[in-house]
Amino acid sequence: MSTELNIGELFAEQMDRVLSDSVSRELLISVENGQSADTLWNTLEELGFLLALVDEENGGSGLGWEDVEPTLRCCGRHGAPVPLPETLLANWVLAASGLALPTGLVTVSPALYQLDGNDKLHGGDSGVTWAPLCENIVAIAKRDANRYVCLLSQEQCQVEPQETLTREPTGALDLVGVTPSAIAEAPRTIGGLGLLPYLASLRSVQIGGALEELLSLCVEYANTREQFGRPIGKFQAIQHAIAELASQTAAAQVAGQYACRQIDADNAERGGMIAKIRAGQAAGRGAEIAHQVFGAIGFTDEHSLHYLTRRLWQWRCDAGSEFWWSERLGQKTIAAGADGLWPSIAGPTELRKTHALR
Amino acid sequence: MAQSFKFNPLQIPDELTPLRMEVRSFLLDASSDWSGWDLGHSWTCFNREFSREVGKRGWIGMTWPEQYGGHDRSALERFVVIEEMLAAGAPVGAHWIGDRQSGPLLLRIGTEEQRQRILPMIVRGDAAFCVGLSEPGSGSDLASIRSHADKVDGGWRLNGRKIWTTYAHLSDFMMGLFRSDRSKERHAGLSQFLIDIHSSGIEVRPIADLTGEAHFNEVLFEDVFVPDNMLLGSEGNGWQQVTSELTFERSQPDRFMSCFPLLPLSIDALQNNEDRLACRQIGQSLSELVVLREMSLSILGQLEQGQTPSQEAALVKELGNSYEQRTPNMVRELFDTPAVMTRGDRFSELQAYLTQTVPSFSLRGGTREILRGIIAKGLGL
């Protein structure tokens, strides 16, 4: 356990070095203008990051989700303008279903599509992040009771550009009878929500990373910005606001870790659901506090704060908002009844005899 | 900059499921006649008979060495037991302080004689503790306490007043903080004493709280003699001892589960209700709880490794208190029932009690403001 965690930390440290060197304001702006961060992407590919979750037989590193969590969090912290989390997920599900891994940029569409009797795909997704820049898109489709992993060539999909809060190149998909370039039966761990819980988990981890950076920027600013003759961090009002930001950051990070552990334990929906609710809530509150601490300067285009806060506002909505997931979790929880509540938290889940009181 | 907190995961292994089921089944039997009002008290409900039953089953002092009556079990086994107790709203108040902080403090800094004498009593559920910290003039500013201990032949003579001392009128011992060197100020010159609450010169005056009950007290000390062998830890080291004690206190599930029994009752009342907003409220509450539990477990792991996760504990208490404080209002939003309390109706009694009690959650064990100050300092502000 501890050695695996060390591998995860080493990966994250390497990622941190790469991103510290390459993610600049100029790069972020060029990606917002539709350019691909090719140099960064090539570096990540050369270092083997894209295959971190792919097993060793297929040329990957064979890491678990818990192992790559620090790396994903690091991507969130830097606002890395590349589809690395999406690619990790795409390659993981492709390899797990025995499909060949494509070269180049790949992203995921978390919507659930229909596969017809002629192996043609139908369905849509209102916003697939990175789709305009990616050669391939991975999606899950249903046919009868079966689920399939489909690899789609972007060229065949007619990606409709879609503006978003992050301004990262994003596109809407409206597929009517598109033929996937590869199809395979989905691994049995992929449930009725397809890739949605997985993407929700990724976004939760990224939120934890972005909040970590916000927190660090706020502490630094509060210690240096002076008003009334002293650093604003000496005022209790500011201290308490930043303390609350810290508590939200910690909760989001723990939520992200939890989601990754649940994926490793074949319980992705539960993990993604819990995590996205908590992280989504933290994202909104955290961004609000950071803007209050920074005042007017943090509201300018020139300041770097918005590269993080716009991502937080995007990510809390991506792959199901905290509201969407909490409704689903609430429905399931109420349906399981009062007796099911505590075992759903503390286990064991297969036994239902509890002390639930009436 | 490296982050000032970390939360490495700690998981409860499946091997502990039999223990969990044993506790659950014990509680299922024991809980049949607990009222809603009792459930709301839970770890502040003083019931010595219940504590003795718990003690008989080996669930007090679980992690302490066998030589002191303990059971040499793991911190995770203890965690399983206490979270089951809290989930059920069990009346664990008579042994809670002894098991959570006084016993562990004695194990760390007590003398061999103190451990031999007192720990086995706690384990049986026979020794209840109260904590004498606050004074009429010293609340959050604890270092300003003025109650003092003067050295006399063979021991100390205590004078002064403690206030907000929960269950002083029912306890056997107080862990009291006194100024043992009046020439020193603030954090220096403080010492902790193990005080027999029945010593002559101690007067306990109950103070009714806003629910009409008298849980806490003012405790007056007039020339109270405490023998030398009841000094706790080192003379003059009281401040350090008390703050380390609080780290243990601040991260456990009692900091976020005080309102838990409202959730199963709410779910029961929501059966066959398709209201989307109600689902959202339940889902959000559950998500917060699961994450807090993960955080609490992580701190347990860090404590086990000999680390001092004070920053992490402050974060859990800050988040946990805010979470539990919101629960009665969530219930009010879900059901919008009138503000009446129907005796004998568990849900109604529980909601009425907790609605009035939640303000104390961000006061006890360090106010929200003190905790945010600790967090800010830890962040480098």
Side-chain angles (χ1 to χ4, degrees):
Chain A
M1 187 65 164
S2 59
T3 51
E4 281 172 314
L5 278 177
N6 286 338
I7 292 171
E9 296 294 336
L10 287 174
F11 256 69
E13 275 171 30
Q14 194 175 28
M15 176 62 86
D16 189 39
R17 279 195 296 275
V18 172
L19 295 179
S20 298
D21 288 346
S22 54
V23 180
S24 61
R25 182 181 162 76
E26 291 68 35
L27 182 70
L28 291 169
I29 290 172
S30 85
V31 171
E32 287 188 0
N33 288 327
Q35 303 299 308
S36 174
D38 290 332
T39 312
L40 171 57
W41 188 255
N42 292 337
T43 307
L44 295 177
E45 189 165 18
E46 278 162 28
L47 292 171
F49 278 108
L50 314 191
L51 304 178
L53 286 168
V54 172
D55 50 44
E56 289 168 73
E57 291 150 40
N58 287 303
S61 311
L63 297 186
W65 283 82
E66 185 179 357
D67 300 322
V68 301
E69 182 271 335
T71 301
L72 295 167
R73 176 146 42 102
C74 182
C75 289
R77 189 151 58 80
H78 289 275
V82 282
L84 184 85
E86 290 83 352
T87 299
L88 285 178
L89 171 56
N91 285 340
W92 175 73
V93 73
L94 288 170
S97 49
L99 291 174
L101 306 182
T103 54
L105 296 167
V106 55
T107 190
V108 292
S109 165
L112 204 59
Y113 294 83
Q114 289 291 332
L115 196 61
D116 69 19
N118 298 318
D119 280 355
K120 288 185 187 302
L121 210 57
H122 305 265
D125 193 327
S126 60
V128 179
T129 318
W130 305 111
L133 296 183
C134 290
E135 289 154 49
N136 289 286
I137 300 168
V138 172
I140 304 290
K142 248 171 53 171
R143 184 164 59 202
D144 306 323
N146 301 319
R147 284 181 279 272
Y148 298 87
V149 176
C150 301
L151 183 66
L152 299 159
S153 154
Q154 189 252 35
E155 278 178 4
Q156 290 188 301
C157 290
Q158 288 188 339
V159 174
E160 187 67 34
Q162 176 64 60
E163 288 187 61
T164 64
L165 303 182
T166 62
R167 302 180 206 142
E168 286 165 337
T170 298
L173 298 188
D174 183 12
L175 309 185
V176 185
V178 170
T179 307
S181 40
I183 302 175
E185 212 168 304
R188 61 169 184 83
T189 48
I190 304 288
L193 291 177
L195 295 176
L196 195 69
Y198 298 89
L199 192 61
S201 301
L202 292 176
R203 291 293 184 258
S204 301
V205 175
Q206 287 174 287
I207 286 171
L211 285 171
E212 182 178 336
E213 185 64 11
L214 274 193
L215 177 61
S216 146
L217 292 174
C218 281
V219 169
E220 190 192 341
Y221 184 70
N223 277 333
T224 48
R225 166 74 174 168
E226 293 196 5
Q227 286 289 276
F228 305 101
R230 48 184 173 152
I232 60 169
K234 295 293 166 205
F235 293 99
Q236 278 196 335
I238 301 293
Q239 291 181 354
H240 289 193
I242 297 176
E244 196 192 340
L245 172 58
S247 68
Q248 295 300 327
T249 303
Q253 291 182 352
V254 171
Q257 281 175 0
Y258 176 79
C260 290
R261 292 209 326 276
Q262 294 298 311
I263 296 177
D264 286 335
D266 259 6
N267 206 5
E269 185 177 336
R270 169 93 180 166
M273 181 151 61
I274 299 273
K276 194 69 195 324
I277 298 169
R278 189 63 191 87
Q281 200 187 351
R285 183 67 190 128
E288 195 171 79
I289 293 171
H291 276 294
Q292 193 66 22
V293 168
F294 272 90
I297 192 71
F299 195 65
T300 61
D301 175 60
E302 186 192 345
H303 201 276
S304 60
L305 196 62
H306 65 90
Y307 290 99
L308 293 163
T309 54
R310 283 187 291 111
R311 279 173 171 74
L312 287 169
W313 294 322
Q314 183 76 41
W315 292 340
R316 67 177 174 177
C317 292
D318 279 2
S321 69
E322 66 269 36
F323 307 115
W324 189 84
W325 283 110
S326 57
E327 189 177 332
R328 184 175 175 89
L329 176 59
Q331 274 167 357
K332 284 173 173 287
T333 306
I334 293 167
D339 290 353
L341 175 67
W342 179 241
S344 83
I345 298 164
T349 38
E350 64 277 16
L351 294 162
R352 281 290 153 84
K353 188 170 183 277
T354 74
H355 54 262
L357 299 153
R358 291 190 180 81
Chain B
M1 192 194 78
Q3 213 169 227
S4 65
F5 50 83
K6 62 173 167 37
F7 286 93
N8 296 334
L10 179 70
Q11 268 173 293
I12 298 181
D14 289 342
E15 292 92 87
L16 301 194
T17 301
L19 171 64
R20 185 182 292 287
M21 299 318 287
E22 190 190 341
V23 180
R24 220 173 265 182
S25 133
F26 163 72
L27 290 168
L28 185 65
D29 293 339
S31 62
S32 56
D33 61 345
W34 298 344
S35 71
W37 194 261
D38 293 336
L39 290 181
H41 287 67
S42 187
W43 63 274
T44 62
C45 185
F46 196 100
N47 181 336
R48 208 183 285 254
E49 249 176 83
F50 181 78
S51 289
R52 286 185 177 131
E53 281 300 316
V54 173
K56 260 186 215 159
R57 284 165 174 77
W59 297 332
I60 305 176
M62 287 179 75
T63 61
W64 308 347
E66 220 166 296
Q67 63 187 116
Y68 306 119
H71 304 286
D72 278 320
R73 301 183 81 161
S74 71
L76 274 170
E77 289 178 291
R78 176 176 180 270
F79 187 94
V80 165
V81 170
I82 65 166
E83 71 169 354
E84 288 295 326
M85 295 279 174
L86 293 167
V92 289
H95 68 266
W96 201 251
I97 305 295
D99 183 64
R100 182 182 72 183
Q101 64 195 89
S102 311
L105 190 65
L106 279 171
L107 271 176
R108 282 207 309 283
I109 59 165
T111 63
E112 188 55 30
E113 184 197 347
Q114 289 168 347
R115 295 177 191 172
Q116 297 275 6
R117 181 181 153 210
I118 294 165
L119 293 176
M121 292 165 67
I122 302 179
V123 167
R124 289 194 304 269
D126 283 338
F129 280 77
C130 60
V131 182
L133 295 175
S134 299
E135 295 183 6
S138 307
S140 282
D141 182 12
L142 186 60
S144 70
I145 61 163
R146 282 155 54 193
S147 293
H148 53 271
D150 297 310
K151 193 72 192 86
V152 292
D153 195 25
W156 300 79
R157 194 170 56 233
L158 274 42
N159 279 286
R161 288 199 290 178
K162 292 291 174 186
I163 200 166
W164 318 131
T165 315
T166 302
Y167 291 130
H169 59 305
L170 299 172
S171 295
D172 307 285
F173 296 99
M174 173 192 278
M175 306 281 244
L177 184 67
F178 288 77
R179 193 163 292 286
S180 53
D181 183 346
R182 280 196 266 175
S183 71
K184 301 226 169 85
E185 287 184 1
R186 306 290 300 165
H187 310 90
L190 300 174
S191 298
Q192 261 184 311
F193 295 91
L194 246 173
I195 305 157
D196 179 344
I197 204 83
H198 305 296
S199 308
S200 94
I202 292 182
E203 187 191 339
V204 178
R205 294 179 181 164
I207 303 171
D209 69 22
L210 57 75
T211 65
E213 292 182 332
H215 295 128
F216 49 31
N217 301 272
E218 182 172 17
V219 185
L220 284 75
F221 291 81
E222 201 184 329
D223 290 334
V224 175
F225 178 76
V226 174
D228 277 329
N229 63 6
M230 295 296 259
L231 172 74
L232 184 55
S234 337
E235 185 188 331
N237 203 32
W239 183 262
Q240 289 73 14
Q241 293 171 197
V242 164
T243 43
S244 77
E245 188 182 333
L246 291 174
T247 298
F248 282 79
E249 185 199 320
R250 283 179 176 148
S251 62
Q252 298 194 357
D254 45 359
R255 294 307 177 190
F256 52 85
M257 284 182 68
S258 306
C259 290
F260 179 81
L262 279 173
L263 294 181
L265 289 164
S266 299
I267 288 169
D268 218 19
L270 286 168
Q271 292 303 307
N272 308 315
N273 183 327
E274 300 293 312
D275 185 70
R276 293 178 58 198
L277 287 174
C279 291
R280 279 187 190 174
Q281 297 279 19
I282 296 292
Q284 190 192 316
S285 183
L286 180 53
S287 151
E288 284 189 68
L289 177 58
V290 169
V291 172
L292 280 162
R293 181 171 180 267
E294 293 296 318
M295 297 176 93
S296 179
L297 274 167
S298 167
I299 291 176
L300 185 70
Q302 295 178 47
L303 287 169
E304 282 299 279
Q305 288 168 10
Q307 296 157 5
T308 315
S310 315
Q311 179 78 340
E312 289 80 0
L315 288 164
V316 167
K317 185 172 185 297
E318 150 75 358
L319 284 168
N321 287 166
S322 300
Y323 164 71
E324 45 178 26
Q325 280 181 326
R326 284 194 306 272
T327 308
N329 206 46
M330 177 193 83
V331 169
R332 206 169 62 84
E333 189 180 349
L334 287 178
F335 303 104
D336 207 12
T337 45
V340 295
M341 184 171 83
T342 310
R343 292 278 176 192
D345 177 332
R346 244 179 189 167
F347 201 4
S348 171
E349 282 188 24
L350 181 60
Q351 171 71 356
Y353 178 75
L354 289 173
T355 299
Q356 300 173 75
T357 312
V358 290
S360 69
F361 296 178
S362 52
L363 304 176
R364 61 190 185 192
T367 64
R368 170 173 296 126
E369 289 66 31
I370 289 291
L371 287 160
R372 287 187 174 174
I374 291 171
I375 296 167
K377 198 173 167 195
L379 290 169
L381 285 167

